[in-house]
Amino acid sequence: MQNSETVGDRSNSDILEEILKGEYIKPVYQPVVSLSNGQVYGYEALSRISKQELQMNIEQMFRLADKDGKAWELEKLCRARALENAARLSADKKLFLNVNSNILYDHQFRTGFTREHLREYGLDANSIIFEITERVAALDSSAFLCSIDHYKKQSYGIAIDDVGAGYSGLNNIASVKPNLIKLDMSLVRDIDKDEIKRLLCKAMVDFGKSAGIQLIAEGIETEEELSVLVKLGVDLGQGYFLGIPQESFSPIVPEKVETIKRCHAKQYNENLISSVYPIVGHLARPGYIVSPDEKLGSIYETLKLNLSVTEFSVVRDDITMGFMTRTDLNELLGGRYGYGLHSKKTVQQAMKPDFSRVNYTMTVDTVSRLAMQRPFEQLYNPIVVEKDGKYLGIVTVKNLLDACTKVEVDIARHSNPLTGLPGNLVIEKEIQSRIFADAPYCVTYYDIDNFKAYNDAYGFENGDKMLMLLAKILKTCAAQGEFIGHIGGDDFIVICDYHEGEGYCESVVERFSREVTSLYRDEDIRNGYIISKNRNGVTENFPIAGLSVAGISNRARDYKNIGDFSQDIAQLKKKCKKQPGNYIEIL
C-alpha cells in the first residue's frame, strides 16, 4: 500500500522541492460576482501545479510547505505568479490574494507590497484584497493586528475567509475589522433546503450591513442556492455555478447574469405583492452625476453656481463608481493650500468608493433601516439606487422617512382598534404574497364558538376581553415569525411560512380552552354552559366558548389565484363551524 507521504518512490517533500526549484506553479482566477447586478467584482487568485507528474493536493502542498519550513518560499512563488498576469486586470476589479496570516507581518512580505513594487504590475493598493486563510492564534497577536492596521491605512482590503467553519468566528471579525467576510461553503450548500442555514446567513447579512462589511457567499453550485442568497441580500457570490477558475480574467457568461437578474425580478414581484411599503425605485430622482475623469476644480466651480446640488455620484457608462458630498469637496479644496494641492486631481482619485447603494426593488422600510445603520458621518447622505447594475438615481433619507411614515399611518388606519392587529387591507396583501410566491405556507382562520351568546349574556366589555385574550394567545404561541391579523369580530387569521400549521393551532386551542374560563362566573363553569338567546331570540344553553380552526396549506394543492383559495377556505370554515367543541382541520 502506497504511503500518503510518497508518490511512487518519491516523497512528497521531494516533489515539493522540485515544484519550488522549477517554479511549477500557475495561477487561475475565479470570479467574485456582485449578486445585485451580475457584474464581476473581482477575482480570487488560486494556485495550481503546472507539471503533470508533480501533481498533489493543493491543500496538502501548503501544509507540507509549512511543515518543511518552505511556507514563505511557496507563498512568494504563488504570489509572484498571481501578480504577473495582473496587468490584464481591469482597473475597476479587485484581486483577492490568499495569505497565510503567520507571514502577513513579515518584513519581506511588506516589502513585496510597496507602491513601487505594485506599479510594476500595473496595480495599486486599492485593487488588492488580502484573504486571511489561517484560523490560528496569530489572529490574536498584537503584531498581527498592527500589521493589519498598516495594510488598511495603505488602502489594501482585508477579507476573512471561511467564516462559519472551524474556529473562524466573530472574535476574529471583531479583532480584524475586515472589509469583507467570506461565508464558508458549508453554510451555502443546500441553503435553499435548510431553514437554520438561511437564518444564520440572514444574521450575517444584517451584521454586515450594520458594520459596513460586505458578505461573500462561497461555493454556490445551484440556481436555487443563488436565488436564496439574492433574496437574503448577500452582496457578492463565488462558486462553480457562477464561474470556474480559469487562467484568464474571464467574465461570467451572459446566462448567469440573466439568472441573477431573474432572481431580482422574482424578488421585485414578491415585494410588490407582499409589502405595503413601496419599492425604493419609485422614490429615486436622477441626482447630479459627473464623470470619474472630471477635475475637482471644475466640479467646485460648477457647484458654486448651483447651490441646490449637495452631493454627486461618479458614473461611467451608467455604472456607479463612487459618491461625494459638497461638504467633502469643500473640505478637500478648502484651507490655505487645499485648492492648489487638489484642484487638478480627478474626482476618481478623491471619491468615496464605499458609498451606500441599493437595488431599486428593495422596499423603502428595508432601505430606511440600512440607512440608519450607517456610520454617523454618513447617516444623512443620500443613497444611490441601481437597476440591473446601472445607475438609476438617488433617494434622500427624508424621502425614505416620509414614505415610511405615510405607510405606517395607513396601516394604523386599517388596523383593528381593539387588538391593534393588522386589518383586512394588510391581510389581503399577505395572503396574495403567499399564493403567488413559490414557498411553503399555511393559512389558518380562528373563529370563537358561542361568542355571540357570551357577548349577549356578559356584555360587550367582557366580549372585548375575550377577543383580547385570543389575540394575546395567538401572539404568545407565535415563535417562527407567523403573521397574525384580525379580520373583525371574533374572526382572526394566522399565516405560517411552513406547511405544518397543526402544532401551532393545537397550542392556541389548548391555551385558549384553559384561560377562557377566567372570563366566566364560577356557576357557569360548574354547569359547563351559559343561558342566553340564540339568533332567533329563543333561550337555550350554550357551551363554554371554544375555537373552530380551518386551515389551508400549499402542501397538497398549489393555488394560482385568490378565487380558488377563497372558495376552498370558505367551505372548510363552514364545515368546522358545524363540529361541536374545539375543532381543527387543515387541508
Side-chain angles (χ1 to χ4, degrees):
M1 184 174 177
Q2 188 167 286
N3 190 298
S4 63
E5 295 297 318
T6 63
V7 176
D9 296 327
R10 305 178 64 192
S11 71
N12 280 341
S13 292
D14 291 338
I15 294 173
L16 174 63
E17 186 66 29
E18 186 172 346
I19 290 170
L20 293 172
K21 283 185 178 178
E23 298 186 348
Y24 296 122
I25 290 290
K26 67 177 180 181
V28 291
Y29 304 94
Q30 185 173 32
V32 176
V33 179
S34 166
L35 296 190
S36 22
N37 57 33
Q39 302 301 308
V40 173
Y41 174 81
Y43 296 87
E44 179 179 0
L46 303 166
S47 298
R48 299 290 185 262
I49 299 168
S50 58
K51 192 171 183 179
Q52 186 62 39
E53 55 268 33
L54 300 178
Q55 293 299 313
M56 71 166 71
N57 178 277
I58 297 298
E59 292 294 326
Q60 181 187 14
M61 178 179 72
F62 278 97
R63 286 196 300 270
L64 182 62
D66 215 20
K67 175 184 170 186
D68 290 357
K70 306 281 187 180
W72 171 248
E73 194 175 346
L74 181 59
E75 285 267 351
K76 187 177 178 182
L77 173 60
C78 291
R79 188 172 62 256
R81 288 286 186 260
L83 292 175
E84 283 172 1
N85 294 325
R88 299 198 296 270
L89 183 67
S90 299
D92 60 334
K93 310 302 181 192
K94 306 291 186 181
L95 182 63
F96 289 73
L97 298 176
N98 290 286
V99 178
N100 185 321
S101 60
N102 288 316
I103 69 165
L104 194 62
Y105 49 87
D106 189 284
H107 174 72
Q108 293 184 71
F109 182 89
R110 185 174 295 192
T111 302
F113 282 93
T114 60
R115 294 184 185 278
E116 294 74 19
H117 189 262
L118 287 178
R119 202 170 291 129
E120 296 175 19
Y121 300 103
L123 291 170
D124 59 39
N126 288 307
S127 303
I128 302 292
I129 295 174
F130 295 138
E131 280 194 36
I132 311 303
T133 58
E134 292 292 327
R135 301 177 297 277
V136 293
L139 288 173
D140 294 324
S141 159
S142 59
F144 172 80
L145 295 176
C146 284
S147 185
I148 288 287
D149 189 55
H150 162 78
Y151 290 111
K152 282 184 181 177
K153 288 178 178 176
Q154 301 301 312
S155 299
Y156 292 96
I158 302 294
I160 291 187
D161 199 7
D162 301 330
V163 170
Y167 295 100
S168 182
L170 296 180
N171 283 342
N172 295 340
I173 295 171
S175 299
V176 174
K177 299 179 179 63
N179 306 97
L180 305 104
I181 51 180
K182 301 189 80 171
L183 193 64
D184 186 71
M185 64 178 63
S186 63
L187 290 179
V188 173
R189 186 73 64 252
D190 295 326
I191 193 170
D192 53 306
K193 303 168 187 170
D194 192 320
E195 177 67 17
I196 297 298
K197 288 183 178 181
R198 290 196 293 274
L199 290 172
L200 285 170
C201 184
K202 182 65 170 66
M204 291 303 298
V205 169
D206 291 343
F207 167 75
K209 301 294 184 191
S210 299
I213 299 172
Q214 288 187 288
L215 186 69
I216 305 174
E218 291 189 286
I220 303 173
E221 293 193 353
T222 68
E223 183 173 339
E224 291 74 21
E225 292 170 352
L226 174 67
S227 180
V228 169
L229 294 165
V230 168
K231 184 174 183 178
L232 291 174
V234 175
D235 302 290
L236 303 163
Q238 184 178 359
Y240 275 38
F241 181 78
L242 295 173
I244 63 173
Q246 299 187 60
E247 293 185 34
S248 60
F249 295 109
S250 303
I252 68 171
V253 295
E255 290 81 3
K256 302 301 182 183
V257 179
E258 290 305 312
T259 300
I260 292 174
K261 290 181 179 179
R262 190 165 62 247
C263 291
H264 279 287
K266 179 182 176 184
Q267 184 67 23
Y268 171 68
N269 291 331
E270 289 179 4
N271 285 342
L272 280 179
I273 295 168
S274 66
S275 179
V276 294
Y277 290 89
I279 61 170
V280 72
H282 292 164
L283 300 183
R285 58 181 175 82
Y288 188 78
I289 62 174
V290 300
S291 163
D293 301 320
E294 195 163 344
K295 297 293 191 292
L296 292 177
S298 172
I299 298 172
Y300 180 79
E301 296 301 329
T302 300
L303 263 57
K304 280 200 320 187
L305 303 175
N306 192 344
L307 298 179
S308 64
V309 178
T310 56
E311 67 285 316
F312 49 91
S313 303
V314 183
V315 179
R316 170 178 279 156
D317 299 328
D318 294 329
I319 304 299
T320 317
M321 300 181 65
F323 183 85
M324 203 167 187
T325 67
R326 178 191 287 267
T327 301
D328 294 332
L329 182 64
N330 288 342
E331 287 181 355
L332 195 62
L333 299 185
R336 188 173 180 181
Y337 303 108
Y339 195 91
L341 287 172
H342 303 293
S343 63
K344 296 190 183 307
K345 289 182 178 179
T346 66
V347 67
Q348 186 173 5
Q349 295 173 296
M351 66 186 185
K352 292 184 176 179
D354 57 343
F355 59 96
S356 299
R357 66 171 96 195
V358 297
N359 192 284
Y360 81 112
T361 61
M362 293 179 71
T363 54
V364 295
D365 59 319
T366 302
V367 178
S368 294
R369 285 196 298 272
L370 295 177
M372 292 298 100
Q373 291 169 353
R374 294 181 293 179
F376 178 79
E377 62 273 12
Q378 299 178 19
L379 202 55
Y380 296 106
N381 285 352
I383 294 171
V384 172
V385 181
E386 298 178 326
K387 182 177 182 179
D388 297 331
K390 296 182 177 180
Y391 178 85
L392 179 66
I394 61 171
V395 61
T396 66
V397 173
K398 180 183 183 300
N399 289 341
L400 289 171
L401 297 180
D402 285 347
C404 287
T405 301
K406 182 180 182 303
V407 171
E408 285 159 9
V409 169
D410 288 342
I411 290 174
R413 284 174 52 210
H414 294 282
S415 294
N416 187 281
L418 176 65
T419 60
L421 292 172
N424 290 326
L425 177 69
V426 181
I427 290 171
E428 184 178 341
K429 280 185 167 289
E430 290 288 337
I431 293 175
Q432 286 180 331
S433 73
R434 302 318 193 277
I435 290 175
F436 294 120
D438 184 21
Y441 66 81
C442 181
V443 180
T444 52
Y445 285 82
Y446 296 76
D447 185 275
I448 302 178
D449 298 326
N450 307 310
F451 177 73
K452 183 181 182 304
Y454 177 86
N455 219 19
D456 291 344
Y458 278 77
F460 291 111
E461 185 176 343
N462 284 303
D464 286 349
K465 288 180 180 178
M466 186 174 288
L467 296 177
M468 292 291 289
L469 173 67
L470 179 54
K472 184 194 77 171
I473 290 172
L474 290 171
K475 288 186 278 190
T476 301
C477 292
Q480 299 185 49
E482 293 86 351
F483 170 84
I484 302 167
H486 190 172
I487 298 170
D490 61 323
D491 290 332
F492 292 78
I493 187 172
V494 175
I495 305 177
C496 310
D497 290 320
Y498 47 85
H499 288 145
E500 300 76 19
E502 291 87 351
Y504 176 87
C505 297
E506 289 166 1
S507 298
V508 170
V509 169
E510 184 276 328
R511 190 158 185 162
F512 182 81
S513 299
R514 176 162 35 91
E515 296 187 21
V516 77
T517 56
S518 65
L519 302 178
Y520 285 84
R521 292 186 284 268
D522 291 342
E523 178 185 355
D524 291 337
I525 295 298
R526 285 194 298 270
N527 292 335
Y529 62 84
I530 62 174
I531 300 173
S532 188
K533 291 183 179 182
N534 64 22
R535 296 181 185 276
N536 298 317
V538 178
T539 300
E540 63 177 87
N541 298 337
F542 291 89
I544 302 301
L547 291 177
S548 291
V549 185
I552 286 183
S553 77
N554 60 345
R555 178 170 39 194
R557 180 178 179 182
D558 188 14
Y559 291 91
K560 297 300 183 184
N561 62 74
I562 195 75
D564 291 345
F565 175 88
S566 300
Q567 183 177 345
D568 283 359
I569 195 67
Q571 291 177 354
L572 186 59
K573 284 170 69 179
K574 287 181 182 178
K575 177 182 176 182
C576 292
K577 287 294 290 183
K578 293 178 182 179
Q579 307 301 320
N582 293 311
Y583 185 79
I584 301 172
E585 183 168 348
I586 297 179
L587 295 181

